[in-house]
């Protein structure tokens, strides 16, 4: 294919290499490296806040702590040794580089693993940098996935060398364009995976100059399994500000990365990747981060918890942007942190007052017209199906005969067998008894499926010293009140999916710590089957979810997420406690969230009913902050401090 002008067609990408040799601090002046962002980018662990999509990073209290630390050479080397770095590695670094590592480790609270990775990257590359190349900033516009680039105040701006355009792809930048990078002892690996991330700029404090010197690296780089020999490349990789730049020909841009790009005098260079793009809405970051990012989207509004000034309140602002207004004033004496989330397309807030024993739980619905409706002011747990609302007592000292049904505007009536405690995962042994409420009820026709325990038999067993009954899944008929046990094993959690009831348990399990298997019960055939023993002691099934017959479960010991075949769906990742939740108009998506660790590829994964990954990102979010309406995905992005919107495939 005939090559056009070098500026328009030959695009060079910068991909992160774990190297940092500049001075510690913020943005880079001419000829210097912006080291704090560079090292943070190596680890994917920049715990900073931003003032909207283009905001500058702030270190806050962590930076103040770093300023007061001892940075003498002896103290710095001891710090590295204490964090698992070998003396042989330390000896390969100069004193200034060691000091830079230590300062940033304090500022960003790096873990020992992150510090070790940083050092490994630093000692791997400098010896492989040879030659130099003059580079300059481009004199034309550049737009990536619809976002204009600011080269003047970017730590890693686009550059031009020998009339060829180069631009940087850092950790966040790679994922913004659908690429993933990994540095190992065998070099830099780049892969097109379709990952996505919100645009997260590396903003410099000082304006960039016009010209700089870059280096030509000779370390190994592999793109989609193909090794690049930089010595033989017509357009060699470059290394500048401790970021690796390499030439992207038609083969890389189109065939390998699947991008579309164009160049003209009016629009400059425009690149559009094939991954899902995230549109960002700036929100009052300082107010939101003050309460752990409690944000949800409903009714074309962004609702967020604001605790500035020590007055808890829920604010809302139009999703299209604009001023915030008060949506709900929280009481000043909360027992626990409130929960703000979207349920059924409405913004909901849940909070407790008065303590664990004598307190009350409140559930409030926030309406589009600005009003608020109190749905619950007790410890009862409610579930509504059409005009029928079921409830059971979920507070302290639960007693039997606790299941209620209300139809329409009629009076509530007791439902089921009065001998049973409904809705609880209840266990009883020779010496103790107790449990916790489980908010899971399912209605099929005139039958309600719910957990239950025969408290009358349990008390009799305690008095007589006999074997107590066990908790299990029961079917309660709305017309006859008949309560029928479906599974003989003890069951403490379950889920309805299609024509089956699924539960994690064990052949002789007496508590959740012995749940090593997944079972399912057919509502059509009235039989159960063992799907598989998925783990073994001392571990157990900690959490599980089923979507269209596909089972996902979380391991108690590793907190990793697996499918029923034992395949880790996000290798190296650790799940949050509330890591599995359903979303969508008909709960047709399973949302999985993960903690931010160096080994975690993705922090959010969304599976569809076919078991396909509909969305994956390296950005962070809480499960409560993720909403799907139709194909529209909304979530509060902790990484960027913005509300993001995407259209799912």
């Amino acid at each position: 294919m005939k090559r056009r002008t070098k500026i328009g067609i030959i695009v060079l990408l910068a991909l992160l290499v774990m190297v940092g040799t500049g001075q510690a601090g913020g943005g880079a002046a001419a000829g210097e490296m912006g080291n704090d962002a560079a090292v943070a980018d190596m680890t994917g662990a920049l715990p900073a806040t931003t003032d909207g999509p283009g905001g500058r990073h702030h270190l806050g209290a962590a930076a103040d702590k770093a300023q007061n630390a001892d940075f003498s050479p002896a103290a710095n080397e001891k710090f590295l040794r204490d964090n698992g770095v070998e003396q042989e590695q330390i000896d390969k670094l100069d004193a200034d580089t060691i000091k830079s590592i230590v300062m940033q480790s304090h500022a960003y609270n790096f873990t020992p693993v992150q510090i070790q990775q940083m050092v490994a990257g630093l000692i791997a590359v400098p010896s492989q940098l040879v030659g130099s190349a003059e580079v300059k900033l481009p004199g034309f516009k550049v737009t990536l996935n619809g976002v204009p680039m600011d080269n003047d105040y970017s730590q890693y701006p686009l550059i031009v060398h020998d009339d060829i355009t180069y631009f940087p792809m850092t950790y966040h930048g790679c994922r913004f364009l659908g690429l993933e990078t990994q540095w190992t002892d065998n070099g830099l690996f780049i892969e097109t995976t379709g990952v996505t991330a919100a645009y997260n700029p590396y903003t410099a404090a000082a304006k960039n100059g016009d010209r700089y010197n870059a280096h030509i690296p000779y370390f190994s780089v592999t793109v989609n399994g193909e090794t690049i020999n930089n010595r033989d490349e017509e357009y060699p990789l470059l290394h500048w500000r401790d970021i690796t730049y390499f030439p992207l020909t038609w083969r890389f841009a189109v065939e390998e990365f699947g991008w579309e790009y164009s160049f003209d005098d009016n629009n400059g260079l425009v690149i559009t990747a094939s991954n899902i793009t995230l549109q960002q809405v700036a929100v009052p970051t300082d107010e939101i981060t003050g309460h752990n990012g409690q944000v949800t989207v409903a009714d074309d509004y962004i609702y967020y918890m604001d605790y500035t000034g020590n007055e808890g309140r829920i604010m809302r602002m139009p999703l299209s942007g604009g001023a915030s207004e008060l949506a709900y004033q929280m009481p000043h004496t909360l027992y626990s942190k409130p929960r703000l989330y979207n349920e059924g397309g409405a913004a909901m807030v849940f909070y407790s007052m008065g303590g664990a024993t004598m307190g009350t739980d409140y559930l409030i619905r926030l309406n589009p017209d600005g009003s608020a409706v109190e749905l619950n002011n007790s410890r009862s747990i409610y579930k509504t199906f059409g005009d029928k609302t079921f409830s059971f007592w979920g507070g302290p000292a639960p007693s039997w005969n606790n299941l209620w049904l209300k139809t329409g505007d009629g009076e509530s009536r007791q439902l089921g067998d009065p001998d049973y405690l409904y809705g609880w995962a209840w266990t009883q042994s020779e010496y103790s008894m107790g449990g916790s409420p489980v908010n899971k009820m399912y209605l099929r026709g005139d039958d309600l499926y719910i957990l239950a325990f025969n408290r009358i038999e349990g008390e009799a067993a305690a008095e007589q010293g006999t074997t107590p009954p066990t908790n299990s899944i029961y079917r309660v008929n709305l017309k006859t009140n008949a309560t029928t046990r479906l599974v003989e094993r003890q069951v403490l959690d379950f889920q309805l999916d299609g024509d089956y009831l699924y539960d994690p348990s064990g052949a002789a399990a007496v508590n959740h710590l012995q749940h090593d298997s997944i079972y399912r019960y057919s509502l059509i055939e009235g039989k159960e089957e063992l799907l598989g023993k998925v783990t073994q002691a001392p571990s157990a099934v900690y959490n599980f979810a089923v979507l269209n017959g596909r089972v996902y479960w979380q391991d108690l010991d590793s907190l990793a997420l697996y499918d029923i075949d034992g395949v880790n769906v996000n290798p190296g990742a650790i799940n949050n406690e509330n890591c599995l939740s359903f979303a969508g108009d008909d709960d047709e998506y399973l949302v999985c969230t993960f903690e931010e660790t160096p080994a975690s590829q993705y922090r959010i994964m969304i599976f569809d009913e076919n078991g396909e990954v509909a969305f994956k990102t390296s950005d962070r979010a809480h499960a409560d902050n993720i909403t799907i309406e139709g194909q529209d995905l909304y979530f509060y992005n902790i990484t960027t401090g913005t509300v993001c919107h995407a259209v799912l495939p």
Side-chain angles (χ1 to χ4, degrees):
M1 177 174 290
K2 185 177 180 180
R3 181 166 57 88
R4 300 181 186 177
T5 61
K6 294 182 178 180
I7 292 179
I9 294 299
I10 303 300
V11 182
L12 292 118
L13 294 174
L15 292 146
L16 171 67
V17 176
M18 297 180 179
V19 180
T21 57
Q23 300 297 316
E32 297 178 351
M33 181 191 74
N35 205 34
D36 56 351
V39 176
D41 189 76
M42 299 170 198
T43 62
L46 185 62
T49 61
T50 59
D51 299 324
R56 301 176 185 274
H57 295 296
H58 302 279
L59 299 182
D64 295 336
K65 176 182 176 182
Q67 291 178 356
N68 297 324
D70 179 7
F71 295 117
S72 65
N76 290 339
E77 291 196 15
K78 181 178 184 302
F79 176 85
L80 294 185
R81 288 193 298 270
D82 291 344
N83 281 277
V85 179
E86 299 293 336
Q87 185 63 48
E88 181 180 356
Q89 294 177 302
I90 297 174
D91 292 340
K92 296 180 180 180
L93 303 173
D94 59 52
D96 288 339
T97 299
I98 293 174
K99 181 179 179 181
S100 177
I101 296 171
V102 174
M103 290 179 68
Q104 292 165 84
S105 298
H106 282 294
Y108 290 108
N109 292 319
F110 285 163
T111 66
V113 172
Q114 291 172 315
I115 295 171
Q116 293 164 26
Q117 290 178 337
M118 192 190 317
V119 171
L122 286 166
I123 65 178
V125 177
S127 62
Q128 302 177 57
L129 299 179
V130 297
S132 62
E134 185 179 87
V135 299
K136 61 182 180 181
L137 267 63
F140 48 87
K141 300 176 183 177
V142 178
T143 303
L144 306 181
N145 270 355
V147 179
M149 299 292 105
D150 181 3
N151 288 312
D152 287 338
Y153 286 93
S154 172
Q155 291 190 22
Y156 312 111
L158 279 81
I159 56 177
V160 175
H161 168 65
D162 194 20
D163 294 329
I164 294 176
T165 304
Y166 290 62
F167 70 82
M169 288 288 288
T170 59
Y171 176 91
H172 295 298
C174 281
R175 286 145 183 85
F176 174 58
L177 292 175
L179 307 178
E180 292 185 49
T181 58
Q182 182 182 19
W183 178 263
T184 72
D185 291 340
N186 296 320
L188 180 64
F189 289 80
I190 305 148
E191 186 177 3
T192 307
T193 66
V195 67
T196 193
Y199 178 60
N200 194 11
Y202 296 84
T203 306
K207 185 176 182 179
N208 285 314
D210 294 328
R211 296 180 181 274
Y212 299 90
N213 286 322
H215 295 281
I216 300 175
Y218 286 155
F219 47 78
S220 176
V221 176
T222 302
V223 178
N224 289 338
E226 180 182 348
T227 301
I228 305 300
N229 188 338
N230 204 36
R231 299 177 187 272
D232 297 334
E233 288 293 318
E234 180 181 359
Y235 303 104
L237 285 72
L238 297 180
H239 191 76
W240 184 61
R241 288 188 176 175
D242 294 319
I243 299 293
T244 300
Y245 293 70
F246 72 96
L248 192 65
T249 60
W250 176 269
R251 175 170 66 93
F252 286 112
V254 177
E255 297 179 359
E256 295 289 351
F257 296 159
W259 294 353
E260 296 180 1
Y261 63 86
S262 63
F263 182 85
D264 60 51
D265 292 338
N266 292 328
N267 299 311
L269 180 62
V270 178
I271 294 178
T272 303
S274 58
N275 63 333
I276 295 175
T277 58
L278 293 175
Q279 305 299 322
Q280 301 185 73
V281 179
V283 291
T285 305
D286 292 339
E287 298 176 12
I288 292 173
T289 54
H291 200 63
N292 200 28
Q294 289 278 353
V295 185
T296 195
V297 174
D299 304 313
D300 293 326
Y301 283 96
I302 299 170
Y303 293 84
Y304 62 91
M305 198 77 67
D306 173 17
Y307 264 70
T308 57
N310 295 320
E311 290 189 5
R313 58 183 182 174
I314 296 174
M315 306 294 291
R316 74 175 189 177
M317 60 177 287
L319 186 59
S320 58
S324 297
E325 62 182 5
L326 179 66
Y328 185 74
Q329 178 63 57
M330 301 290 295
H332 298 295
T333 56
L334 296 182
Y335 172 69
S336 61
K337 291 181 178 179
R339 178 184 169 212
L340 178 63
Y341 59 100
N342 180 309
E343 183 175 278
M348 311 287 280
V349 58
F350 173 87
Y351 60 89
S352 298
M353 294 181 62
T357 303
M358 302 299 292
T360 300
D361 293 340
Y362 292 85
L363 180 63
I364 310 297
R365 184 181 66 223
L366 307 178
N367 294 324
D369 62 5
S371 63
V373 178
E374 184 179 281
L375 302 180
N376 186 23
N377 61 356
S378 72
R379 288 291 177 88
S380 293
I381 293 175
Y382 291 82
K383 184 72 173 180
T384 299
F385 303 91
D387 65 343
K388 295 180 175 60
T389 298
F390 300 87
S391 64
F392 63 86
W393 177 253
S399 183
W400 53 87
N401 199 21
N402 66 330
L403 183 61
W404 295 79
L405 166 62
K406 180 179 180 181
T407 302
D409 296 328
E411 296 293 326
S412 296
R413 68 175 179 88
Q414 288 186 304
L415 180 66
D417 190 321
D419 290 349
Y420 283 81
L421 169 68
Y422 291 97
W424 282 68
W426 193 265
T427 58
Q428 180 174 329
S429 67
E430 181 181 356
Y431 304 104
S432 64
M433 67 175 66
S436 59
V438 177
N439 188 11
K440 291 186 178 179
M441 294 178 273
Y442 304 98
L443 183 65
R444 291 283 295 265
D446 291 328
D447 293 321
L448 180 73
Y449 297 91
I450 189 171
L451 294 177
F453 179 85
N454 193 318
R455 284 293 301 272
I456 298 300
E457 291 184 4
E459 291 188 358
E463 293 177 359
Q464 300 168 12
T466 58
T467 302
T470 57
N471 208 81
S472 194
I473 306 172
Y474 284 79
R475 179 177 61 233
V476 181
N477 187 270
L478 275 58
K479 295 181 178 179
T480 67
N481 287 328
T483 297
T484 306
R485 182 168 183 149
L486 301 182
V487 177
E488 290 305 314
R489 292 172 292 100
Q490 174 165 274
V491 179
L492 301 177
D493 190 12
F494 80 115
Q495 182 196 322
L496 174 67
D497 182 78
D499 293 327
Y500 294 92
L501 297 170
Y502 295 78
D503 73 271
S505 186
V510 296
N511 58 55
H512 72 279
L513 296 178
Q514 296 173 326
H515 291 172
D516 57 12
S517 304
I518 304 291
Y519 294 81
R520 74 175 182 182
Y521 176 90
S522 171
L523 297 179
I524 305 300
E525 300 177 358
K527 298 179 181 179
E528 72 166 349
E529 62 177 315
L530 172 65
L531 294 181
K533 183 176 181 179
V534 295
T535 187
Q536 60 185 7
S539 192
V541 178
Y542 176 68
N543 194 6
F544 89 112
V546 186
L547 180 61
N548 198 26
R550 293 174 173 81
V551 179
Y552 304 85
W553 63 277
Q554 185 180 10
D555 184 80
L556 176 66
D557 185 33
S558 66
L559 296 181
L561 186 64
Y562 298 88
D563 64 17
I564 192 63
D565 297 320
V567 177
N568 191 329
V569 302
N570 190 9
I574 298 174
N575 297 74
N576 300 311
E577 290 185 4
N578 183 24
C579 69
L580 300 175
S581 61
F582 292 99
D585 300 334
D586 297 307
D587 286 344
E588 66 271 28
Y589 294 99
L590 178 65
V591 176
C592 309
T593 55
F594 304 86
E595 295 181 10
E596 185 169 11
T597 62
S600 175
Q601 283 181 273
Y602 314 118
R603 283 67 188 257
I604 306 173
M605 295 181 72
I606 299 178
F607 294 90
D608 63 18
E609 292 181 306
N610 297 318
E612 300 295 329
V613 179
F615 179 81
K616 56 186 178 182
T617 179
S618 54
D619 292 344
R620 290 183 59 216
H622 297 305
D624 277 349
N625 300 160
I626 300 174
T627 301
I628 301 176
E629 297 177 350
Q631 291 181 285
D632 291 306
L633 166 68
Y634 302 95
F635 67 95
Y636 175 67
N637 192 323
I638 298 174
T639 303
T640 59
T642 59
V643 169
C644 291
H645 169 240
V647 178
L648 299 178

